[in-house]
Amino acid sequence: MSIEQWNQRYRAGEQLFTETSPLVTRFSQELKIGRALDLACGAGRNSLYLAEQGWQVTAVDGSPLAIEILQERAREQELNVDARVADLEHSGFEIEPGAYDLICDCYYLQRSLIPKMQSGVRPGGIVVAFVHLADPDQPQGTPTRARPGELRGYFTDWKIMHEYEGTSREACHRRPVAELVAQKPA
């Protein structure tokens, strides 16, 4: 979808989720509070939760409207989130190597970002990633949907803390997903 199509969805009141992803909640609690990056953050459900817990959060999304909603929510909750509009597909945001203790990539698959996410996590830090899976008639995946086992394949040298492929357990996304939480070797 184009950024304008995303803006239209936000204007229509779609994609305005407020409940934090259970994986972000669970695994962020296992880390010492530090710096977090929320890629394709949308209206900021995970960013706001992390900021509330004391994390220093950078949130990035291509939709100016999503970032505006996130900033408004952060103001209302008196939270500090560094929210940025950036087109991730066209290198609009550079992930600083070794800068983050936690990187979240929720329901956004851009394969070229995965090595940058890996580089951006400090040793001992984690990546929480979940993406939509391709339909069974598309075994090679699609540009925006992973093939079975694909996420794990990117993290072969990392400690896999959680892995799941099947129907999403989040109420807002009842579709086939791949979930992965991986810890960078120390």
Side-chain angles (χ1 to χ4, degrees):
M1 271 199 299
S2 71
I3 289 173
E4 184 50 40
Q5 288 171 313
W6 279 110
N7 283 335
Q8 289 173 1
R9 291 182 85 173
Y10 289 115
R11 268 189 221 98
E14 299 174 26
Q15 306 295 313
L16 298 178
F17 311 119
T18 56
E19 187 176 323
T20 308
S21 162
L23 287 179
V24 173
T25 301
R26 176 179 162 198
F27 287 97
S28 66
Q29 291 175 353
E30 295 181 13
L31 292 172
K32 181 180 174 192
I33 292 172
R35 289 186 70 196
L37 174 62
D38 189 2
L39 294 169
C41 65
R45 65 187 178 132
N46 295 316
S47 299
L48 294 168
Y49 168 80
L50 292 167
E52 185 176 53
Q53 302 308 306
W55 288 81
Q56 181 183 345
V57 180
T58 301
V60 181
D61 199 279
S63 166
L65 189 52
I67 293 298
E68 185 179 306
I69 293 165
L70 167 55
Q71 290 170 328
E72 180 60 31
R73 288 176 171 177
R75 274 190 297 278
E76 288 171 1
Q77 297 176 44
E78 298 180 1
L79 297 171
N80 185 20
V81 175
D82 178 10
R84 303 181 192 189
V85 176
D87 186 344
L88 294 169
E89 291 181 11
H90 296 98
S91 301
F93 177 79
E94 291 298 321
I95 300 173
E96 181 183 344
Y100 299 97
D101 302 287
L102 169 64
I103 295 181
C104 302
D105 181 20
C106 304
Y107 297 110
Y108 179 73
L109 177 61
Q110 182 182 327
R111 291 167 178 89
S112 63
L113 271 181
I114 293 172
K116 295 173 186 178
M117 290 187 311
Q118 292 170 325
S119 173
V121 173
R122 294 179 178 137
I126 65 172
V127 170
V128 175
F130 38 98
V131 299
H132 295 287
L133 280 173
D135 294 329
D137 63 339
Q138 300 169 315
Q140 298 306 311
T142 71
T144 60
R145 294 178 184 252
R147 65 186 176 276
E150 182 175 1
L151 273 184
R152 183 182 236 301
Y154 291 116
F155 292 90
T156 55
D157 296 335
W158 291 47
K159 178 183 176 186
I160 304 302
M161 302 172 73
H162 170 84
E163 181 179 22
Y164 170 78
E165 289 187 353
T167 302
S168 174
R169 294 169 274 198
E170 288 192 70
C172 60
H173 290 280
R174 290 287 182 204
R175 292 180 239 166
V177 296
E179 301 174 348
L180 186 80
V181 179
Q183 184 175 39
K184 188 171 190 172

Short mmCIF file of all heavy atoms in Angstrom, two decimals, residues 118-173:
data_model
loop_
_atom_site.label_atom_id
_atom_site.label_comp_id
_atom_site.label_asym_id
_atom_site.label_seq_id
_atom_site.Cartn_x
_atom_site.Cartn_y
_atom_site.Cartn_z
N GLN A 118 19.42 -5.97 12.54
CA GLN A 118 20.40 -6.80 13.24
C GLN A 118 21.62 -5.98 13.66
O GLN A 118 22.11 -6.13 14.78
CB GLN A 118 20.83 -7.97 12.35
CG GLN A 118 19.70 -8.96 12.12
CD GLN A 118 20.03 -9.98 11.04
OE1 GLN A 118 20.70 -9.67 10.05
NE2 GLN A 118 19.53 -11.19 11.23
N SER A 119 22.07 -5.12 12.79
CA SER A 119 23.21 -4.26 13.11
C SER A 119 22.85 -3.25 14.18
O SER A 119 23.68 -2.88 15.02
CB SER A 119 23.67 -3.54 11.84
OG SER A 119 24.66 -2.59 12.14
N GLY A 120 21.61 -2.79 14.19
CA GLY A 120 21.17 -1.75 15.12
C GLY A 120 21.01 -2.20 16.55
O GLY A 120 20.97 -1.39 17.47
N VAL A 121 20.90 -3.52 16.77
CA VAL A 121 20.72 -4.06 18.11
C VAL A 121 22.08 -4.26 18.77
O VAL A 121 23.00 -4.81 18.17
CB VAL A 121 19.94 -5.40 18.07
CG1 VAL A 121 19.90 -6.05 19.44
CG2 VAL A 121 18.55 -5.17 17.56
N ARG A 122 22.17 -3.81 20.01
CA ARG A 122 23.39 -4.04 20.80
C ARG A 122 23.50 -5.52 21.15
O ARG A 122 22.48 -6.22 21.25
CB ARG A 122 23.32 -3.23 22.10
CG ARG A 122 23.34 -1.75 21.90
CD ARG A 122 23.26 -1.02 23.23
NE ARG A 122 23.32 0.41 22.97
CZ ARG A 122 22.57 1.30 23.56
NH1 ARG A 122 21.69 0.94 24.48
NH2 ARG A 122 22.69 2.58 23.26
N PRO A 123 24.72 -6.02 21.41
CA PRO A 123 24.86 -7.39 21.88
C PRO A 123 24.00 -7.61 23.14
O PRO A 123 24.00 -6.78 24.05
CB PRO A 123 26.35 -7.51 22.20
CG PRO A 123 26.99 -6.52 21.25
CD PRO A 123 26.02 -5.37 21.20
N GLY A 124 23.25 -8.70 23.17
CA GLY A 124 22.34 -9.00 24.26
C GLY A 124 20.96 -8.41 24.09
O GLY A 124 20.03 -8.76 24.82
N GLY A 125 20.80 -7.51 23.12
CA GLY A 125 19.50 -6.91 22.83
C GLY A 125 18.66 -7.83 21.97
O GLY A 125 19.12 -8.88 21.52
N ILE A 126 17.40 -7.44 21.75
CA ILE A 126 16.50 -8.32 21.00
C ILE A 126 15.77 -7.59 19.87
O ILE A 126 15.59 -6.38 19.90
CB ILE A 126 15.46 -9.01 21.92
CG1 ILE A 126 14.50 -8.00 22.57
CG2 ILE A 126 16.12 -9.88 22.96
CD1 ILE A 126 13.34 -8.68 23.32
N VAL A 127 15.37 -8.40 18.91
CA VAL A 127 14.47 -7.99 17.84
C VAL A 127 13.16 -8.73 18.06
O VAL A 127 13.16 -9.95 18.24
CB VAL A 127 15.04 -8.33 16.45
CG1 VAL A 127 13.99 -8.12 15.36
CG2 VAL A 127 16.28 -7.50 16.15
N VAL A 128 12.07 -7.98 18.08
CA VAL A 128 10.73 -8.56 18.10
C VAL A 128 10.14 -8.27 16.73
O VAL A 128 9.96 -7.11 16.36
CB VAL A 128 9.84 -7.92 19.19
CG1 VAL A 128 8.41 -8.45 19.11
CG2 VAL A 128 10.42 -8.15 20.58
N ALA A 129 9.89 -9.33 15.97
CA ALA A 129 9.37 -9.15 14.61
C ALA A 129 8.20 -10.09 14.39
O ALA A 129 8.26 -11.26 14.78
CB ALA A 129 10.45 -9.43 13.58
N PHE A 130 7.14 -9.55 13.81
CA PHE A 130 6.08 -10.41 13.34
C PHE A 130 5.51 -9.82 12.07
O PHE A 130 5.39 -8.61 11.92
CB PHE A 130 5.00 -10.73 14.38
CG PHE A 130 4.60 -9.63 15.31
CD1 PHE A 130 3.48 -8.87 15.07
CD2 PHE A 130 5.35 -9.39 16.45
CE1 PHE A 130 3.10 -7.87 15.96
CE2 PHE A 130 4.98 -8.40 17.34
CZ PHE A 130 3.86 -7.63 17.09
N VAL A 131 5.25 -10.72 11.13
CA VAL A 131 4.82 -10.33 9.79
C VAL A 131 3.72 -11.27 9.34
O VAL A 131 3.56 -12.37 9.87
CB VAL A 131 6.00 -10.37 8.79
CG1 VAL A 131 7.09 -9.40 9.19
CG2 VAL A 131 6.56 -11.77 8.64
N HIS A 132 2.99 -10.84 8.35
CA HIS A 132 1.97 -11.71 7.75
C HIS A 132 2.66 -12.78 6.91
O HIS A 132 3.68 -12.54 6.28
CB HIS A 132 1.03 -10.89 6.87
CG HIS A 132 0.22 -9.91 7.64
ND1 HIS A 132 -0.83 -10.29 8.45
CD2 HIS A 132 0.30 -8.56 7.75
CE1 HIS A 132 -1.36 -9.21 9.02
NE2 HIS A 132 -0.67 -8.16 8.62
N LEU A 133 2.08 -13.97 6.94
CA LEU A 133 2.57 -15.07 6.11
C LEU A 133 1.83 -15.07 4.78
O LEU A 133 0.65 -14.72 4.70
CB LEU A 133 2.32 -16.42 6.80
CG LEU A 133 3.32 -16.83 7.87
CD1 LEU A 133 2.85 -18.10 8.56
CD2 LEU A 133 4.71 -17.02 7.28
N ALA A 134 2.55 -15.50 3.76
CA ALA A 134 1.93 -15.64 2.44
C ALA A 134 0.90 -16.76 2.47
O ALA A 134 0.96 -17.67 3.30
CB ALA A 134 3.00 -15.96 1.40
N ASP A 135 -0.06 -16.67 1.58
CA ASP A 135 -1.06 -17.72 1.45
C ASP A 135 -0.40 -19.01 0.99
O ASP A 135 0.65 -18.99 0.35
CB ASP A 135 -2.12 -17.29 0.43
CG ASP A 135 -2.95 -16.10 0.90
OD1 ASP A 135 -3.15 -15.97 2.13
OD2 ASP A 135 -3.37 -15.30 0.04
N PRO A 136 -1.00 -20.16 1.30
CA PRO A 136 -0.40 -21.44 0.93
C PRO A 136 -0.11 -21.58 -0.57
O PRO A 136 0.80 -22.30 -0.96
CB PRO A 136 -1.44 -22.48 1.37
CG PRO A 136 -2.18 -21.80 2.48
CD PRO A 136 -2.21 -20.34 2.10
N ASP A 137 -0.88 -20.88 -1.40
CA ASP A 137 -0.64 -20.97 -2.85
C ASP A 137 0.51 -20.06 -3.30
O ASP A 137 0.77 -19.93 -4.49
CB ASP A 137 -1.92 -20.67 -3.63
CG ASP A 137 -2.45 -19.26 -3.41
OD1 ASP A 137 -2.09 -18.64 -2.39
OD2 ASP A 137 -3.22 -18.79 -4.26
N GLN A 138 1.19 -19.42 -2.33
CA GLN A 138 2.34 -18.55 -2.63
C GLN A 138 3.54 -18.99 -1.78
O GLN A 138 4.01 -18.25 -0.92
CB GLN A 138 2.00 -17.09 -2.33
CG GLN A 138 0.84 -16.57 -3.14
CD GLN A 138 0.37 -15.22 -2.61
OE1 GLN A 138 0.23 -15.01 -1.42
NE2 GLN A 138 0.13 -14.30 -3.53
N PRO A 139 4.05 -20.21 -2.01
CA PRO A 139 5.08 -20.76 -1.12
C PRO A 139 6.39 -19.97 -1.11
O PRO A 139 7.17 -20.12 -0.17
CB PRO A 139 5.29 -22.18 -1.67
CG PRO A 139 4.82 -22.13 -3.08
CD PRO A 139 3.71 -21.11 -3.11
N GLN A 140 6.62 -19.13 -2.09
CA GLN A 140 7.84 -18.33 -2.11
C GLN A 140 7.68 -16.99 -1.42
O GLN A 140 8.60 -16.19 -1.38
CB GLN A 140 8.30 -18.11 -3.56
CG GLN A 140 8.63 -19.39 -4.30
CD GLN A 140 9.66 -20.22 -3.54
OE1 GLN A 140 10.69 -19.72 -3.11
NE2 GLN A 140 9.36 -21.50 -3.36
N GLY A 141 6.49 -16.73 -0.87
CA GLY A 141 6.23 -15.45 -0.23
C GLY A 141 5.88 -14.39 -1.26
O GLY A 141 5.78 -14.67 -2.46
N THR A 142 5.66 -13.19 -0.78
CA THR A 142 5.37 -12.05 -1.65
C THR A 142 6.22 -10.90 -1.15
O THR A 142 6.89 -11.02 -0.11
CB THR A 142 3.87 -11.66 -1.57
OG1 THR A 142 3.62 -11.06 -0.29
CG2 THR A 142 2.95 -12.85 -1.78
N PRO A 143 6.20 -9.76 -1.82
CA PRO A 143 7.00 -8.64 -1.30
C PRO A 143 6.63 -8.21 0.12
O PRO A 143 7.48 -7.70 0.85
CB PRO A 143 6.71 -7.52 -2.31
CG PRO A 143 6.41 -8.24 -3.58
CD PRO A 143 5.66 -9.48 -3.15
N THR A 144 5.39 -8.44 0.54
CA THR A 144 4.98 -7.99 1.87
C THR A 144 4.58 -9.13 2.80
O THR A 144 4.16 -8.87 3.93
CB THR A 144 3.80 -7.00 1.76
OG1 THR A 144 2.70 -7.68 1.12
CG2 THR A 144 4.18 -5.76 0.99
N ARG A 145 4.69 -10.36 2.35
CA ARG A 145 4.33 -11.52 3.17
C ARG A 145 5.43 -12.56 3.12
O ARG A 145 5.93 -12.90 2.05
CB ARG A 145 3.00 -12.12 2.70
CG ARG A 145 1.85 -11.16 2.93
CD ARG A 145 0.54 -11.74 2.42
NE ARG A 145 -0.50 -10.74 2.57
CZ ARG A 145 -1.46 -10.81 3.48
NH1 ARG A 145 -1.52 -11.83 4.29
NH2 ARG A 145 -2.37 -9.86 3.56
N ALA A 146 5.78 -13.06 4.29
CA ALA A 146 6.88 -14.01 4.41
C ALA A 146 6.45 -15.43 4.03
O ALA A 146 5.29 -15.79 4.17
CB ALA A 146 7.41 -14.01 5.84
N ARG A 147 7.40 -16.20 3.61
CA ARG A 147 7.17 -17.63 3.40
C ARG A 147 7.44 -18.34 4.74
O ARG A 147 8.16 -17.81 5.59
CB ARG A 147 8.04 -18.16 2.28
CG ARG A 147 9.52 -18.12 2.55
CD ARG A 147 10.34 -18.54 1.32
NE ARG A 147 11.75 -18.38 1.59
CZ ARG A 147 12.43 -17.25 1.48
NH1 ARG A 147 11.82 -16.15 1.09
NH2 ARG A 147 13.72 -17.20 1.77
N PRO A 148 6.88 -19.51 4.95
CA PRO A 148 7.12 -20.24 6.20
C PRO A 148 8.62 -20.43 6.45
O PRO A 148 9.38 -20.77 5.55
CB PRO A 148 6.41 -21.57 5.97
CG PRO A 148 5.32 -21.25 5.00
CD PRO A 148 5.93 -20.22 4.08
N GLY A 149 9.02 -20.18 7.69
CA GLY A 149 10.42 -20.34 8.08
C GLY A 149 11.35 -19.20 7.70
O GLY A 149 12.52 -19.20 8.07
N GLU A 150 10.84 -18.24 6.96
CA GLU A 150 11.71 -17.17 6.45
C GLU A 150 12.31 -16.32 7.56
O GLU A 150 13.51 -16.04 7.56
CB GLU A 150 10.95 -16.29 5.46
CG GLU A 150 11.80 -15.20 4.86
CD GLU A 150 11.09 -14.38 3.80
OE1 GLU A 150 9.90 -14.63 3.52
OE2 GLU A 150 11.74 -13.46 3.25
N LEU A 151 11.50 -15.88 8.52
CA LEU A 151 12.05 -15.01 9.58
C LEU A 151 13.17 -15.72 10.33
O LEU A 151 14.22 -15.13 10.58
CB LEU A 151 10.95 -14.60 10.56
CG LEU A 151 10.13 -13.36 10.23
CD1 LEU A 151 9.16 -13.06 11.36
CD2 LEU A 151 10.99 -12.17 9.94
N ARG A 152 12.94 -16.96 10.71
CA ARG A 152 13.96 -17.71 11.45
C ARG A 152 15.26 -17.78 10.65
O ARG A 152 16.36 -17.70 11.20
CB ARG A 152 13.48 -19.11 11.78
CG ARG A 152 14.50 -19.87 12.62
CD ARG A 152 14.03 -21.28 12.91
NE ARG A 152 13.96 -21.65 14.28
CZ ARG A 152 14.95 -21.65 15.14
NH1 ARG A 152 16.12 -21.22 14.80
NH2 ARG A 152 14.78 -22.06 16.38
N GLY A 153 15.14 -17.93 9.35
CA GLY A 153 16.32 -18.03 8.49
C GLY A 153 17.22 -16.82 8.55
O GLY A 153 18.44 -16.92 8.32
N TYR A 154 16.69 -15.67 8.87
CA TYR A 154 17.50 -14.46 8.97
C TYR A 154 18.27 -14.39 10.29
O TYR A 154 19.19 -13.59 10.44
CB TYR A 154 16.62 -13.21 8.86
CG TYR A 154 16.02 -13.00 7.50
CD1 TYR A 154 14.64 -13.04 7.32
CD2 TYR A 154 16.81 -12.77 6.38
CE1 TYR A 154 14.07 -12.85 6.07
CE2 TYR A 154 16.26 -12.58 5.13
CZ TYR A 154 14.88 -12.62 4.98
OH TYR A 154 14.32 -12.43 3.75
N PHE A 155 17.88 -15.19 11.26
CA PHE A 155 18.45 -15.09 12.61
C PHE A 155 19.10 -16.40 13.06
O PHE A 155 19.03 -16.76 14.23
CB PHE A 155 17.35 -14.65 13.60
CG PHE A 155 16.88 -13.25 13.36
CD1 PHE A 155 15.83 -12.99 12.50
CD2 PHE A 155 17.50 -12.18 13.99
CE1 PHE A 155 15.40 -11.68 12.27
CE2 PHE A 155 17.08 -10.88 13.76
CZ PHE A 155 16.02 -10.63 12.91
N THR A 156 19.77 -17.09 12.17
CA THR A 156 20.33 -18.40 12.49
C THR A 156 21.40 -18.34 13.58
O THR A 156 21.56 -19.30 14.33
CB THR A 156 20.92 -19.08 11.23
OG1 THR A 156 21.87 -18.19 10.64
CG2 THR A 156 19.82 -19.42 10.24
N ASP A 157 22.12 -17.25 13.70
CA ASP A 157 23.19 -17.15 14.70
C ASP A 157 22.71 -16.49 15.99
O ASP A 157 23.52 -16.23 16.88
CB ASP A 157 24.37 -16.35 14.14
CG ASP A 157 25.02 -17.06 12.95
OD1 ASP A 157 24.89 -18.29 12.86
OD2 ASP A 157 25.64 -16.38 12.12
N TRP A 158 21.44 -16.18 16.09
CA TRP A 158 20.88 -15.52 17.27
C TRP A 158 20.17 -16.53 18.14
O TRP A 158 19.73 -17.59 17.68
CB TRP A 158 19.89 -14.45 16.83
CG TRP A 158 20.50 -13.27 16.14
CD1 TRP A 158 21.43 -13.29 15.13
CD2 TRP A 158 20.20 -11.91 16.36
NE1 TRP A 158 21.72 -12.01 14.73
CE2 TRP A 158 20.97 -11.13 15.47
CE3 TRP A 158 19.34 -11.26 17.23
CZ2 TRP A 158 20.92 -9.75 15.44
CZ3 TRP A 158 19.28 -9.87 17.19
CH2 TRP A 158 20.07 -9.12 16.31
N LYS A 159 20.00 -16.20 19.41
CA LYS A 159 19.23 -17.04 20.32
C LYS A 159 17.74 -16.77 20.05
O LYS A 159 17.27 -15.65 20.18
CB LYS A 159 19.55 -16.70 21.77
CG LYS A 159 18.72 -17.51 22.77
CD LYS A 159 19.03 -17.09 24.19
CE LYS A 159 18.13 -17.83 25.17
NZ LYS A 159 18.32 -17.34 26.54
N ILE A 160 17.02 -17.82 19.67
CA ILE A 160 15.60 -17.68 19.39
C ILE A 160 14.85 -17.82 20.71
O ILE A 160 14.88 -18.88 21.34
CB ILE A 160 15.11 -18.72 18.36
CG1 ILE A 160 15.94 -18.63 17.06
CG2 ILE A 160 13.62 -18.54 18.10
CD1 ILE A 160 15.93 -17.28 16.37
N MET A 161 14.21 -16.75 21.13
CA MET A 161 13.50 -16.72 22.41
C MET A 161 12.02 -17.07 22.24
O MET A 161 11.35 -17.46 23.18
CB MET A 161 13.66 -15.35 23.06
CG MET A 161 15.12 -14.98 23.29
SD MET A 161 15.33 -13.28 23.85
CE MET A 161 14.72 -13.41 25.52
N HIS A 162 11.51 -16.87 21.02
CA HIS A 162 10.11 -17.16 20.72
C HIS A 162 9.99 -17.30 19.22
O HIS A 162 10.57 -16.52 18.46
CB HIS A 162 9.21 -16.01 21.20
CG HIS A 162 7.80 -16.13 20.72
ND1 HIS A 162 6.84 -16.88 21.36
CD2 HIS A 162 7.18 -15.59 19.63
CE1 HIS A 162 5.69 -16.80 20.70
NE2 HIS A 162 5.88 -16.02 19.65
N GLU A 163 9.22 -18.30 18.81
CA GLU A 163 8.94 -18.49 17.39
C GLU A 163 7.56 -19.12 17.26
O GLU A 163 7.22 -20.05 18.01
CB GLU A 163 9.99 -19.40 16.77
CG GLU A 163 9.78 -19.62 15.28
CD GLU A 163 10.85 -20.52 14.68
OE1 GLU A 163 11.49 -21.29 15.41
OE2 GLU A 163 11.03 -20.44 13.46
N TYR A 164 6.79 -18.59 16.34
CA TYR A 164 5.44 -19.11 16.12
C TYR A 164 5.03 -18.79 14.70
O TYR A 164 5.29 -17.68 14.20
CB TYR A 164 4.47 -18.45 17.11
CG TYR A 164 3.01 -18.74 16.82
CD1 TYR A 164 2.42 -19.94 17.18
CD2 TYR A 164 2.21 -17.78 16.20
CE1 TYR A 164 1.08 -20.20 16.91
CE2 TYR A 164 0.87 -18.02 15.92
CZ TYR A 164 0.32 -19.24 16.29
OH TYR A 164 -1.01 -19.48 16.02
N GLU A 165 4.39 -19.74 14.05
CA GLU A 165 3.76 -19.51 12.75
C GLU A 165 2.36 -20.11 12.81
O GLU A 165 2.20 -21.27 13.18
CB GLU A 165 4.57 -20.13 11.61
CG GLU A 165 5.86 -19.39 11.37
CD GLU A 165 6.62 -19.86 10.13
OE1 GLU A 165 6.22 -20.87 9.50
OE2 GLU A 165 7.62 -19.22 9.80
N GLY A 166 1.39 -19.29 12.49
CA GLY A 166 -0.01 -19.72 12.53
C GLY A 166 -0.91 -18.50 12.58
O GLY A 166 -0.48 -17.38 12.30
N THR A 167 -2.14 -18.70 12.99
CA THR A 167 -3.09 -17.59 13.08
C THR A 167 -2.68 -16.67 14.22
O THR A 167 -2.39 -17.13 15.33
CB THR A 167 -4.51 -18.11 13.31
OG1 THR A 167 -4.84 -18.98 12.22
CG2 THR A 167 -5.52 -16.97 13.36
N SER A 168 -2.66 -15.39 13.96
CA SER A 168 -2.29 -14.42 14.98
C SER A 168 -3.21 -14.53 16.18
O SER A 168 -4.41 -14.75 16.05
CB SER A 168 -2.39 -13.00 14.42
OG SER A 168 -2.17 -12.05 15.44
N ARG A 169 -2.61 -14.37 17.35
CA ARG A 169 -3.39 -14.41 18.59
C ARG A 169 -3.82 -13.02 19.01
O ARG A 169 -4.47 -12.86 20.03
CB ARG A 169 -2.57 -15.10 19.67
CG ARG A 169 -2.36 -16.58 19.31
CD ARG A 169 -1.35 -17.23 20.18
NE ARG A 169 -0.03 -16.97 19.61
CZ ARG A 169 1.04 -17.66 19.90
NH1 ARG A 169 0.99 -18.63 20.77
NH2 ARG A 169 2.19 -17.38 19.34
N GLU A 170 -3.47 -12.02 18.23
CA GLU A 170 -3.91 -10.65 18.52
C GLU A 170 -5.28 -10.44 17.91
O GLU A 170 -5.51 -10.77 16.75
CB GLU A 170 -2.93 -9.63 17.94
CG GLU A 170 -1.62 -9.57 18.67
CD GLU A 170 -0.82 -8.37 18.25
OE1 GLU A 170 -1.23 -7.24 18.59
OE2 GLU A 170 0.19 -8.55 17.58
N ALA A 171 -6.17 -9.85 18.67
CA ALA A 171 -7.53 -9.63 18.20
C ALA A 171 -7.57 -8.73 16.96
O ALA A 171 -8.44 -8.87 16.12
CB ALA A 171 -8.38 -9.01 19.31
N CYS A 172 -6.60 -7.83 16.84
CA CYS A 172 -6.61 -6.89 15.72
C CYS A 172 -6.08 -7.50 14.43
O CYS A 172 -6.20 -6.88 13.37
CB CYS A 172 -5.81 -5.63 16.08
SG CYS A 172 -4.08 -5.94 16.47
N HIS A 173 -5.51 -8.68 14.49
CA HIS A 173 -4.92 -9.31 13.29
C HIS A 173 -5.19 -10.80 13.30
O HIS A 173 -4.37 -11.58 13.74
CB HIS A 173 -3.40 -9.09 13.25
CG HIS A 173 -3.00 -7.70 13.00
ND1 HIS A 173 -2.99 -7.14 11.75
CD2 HIS A 173 -2.57 -6.72 13.84
CE1 HIS A 173 -2.58 -5.88 11.83
NE2 HIS A 173 -2.33 -5.61 13.08
#
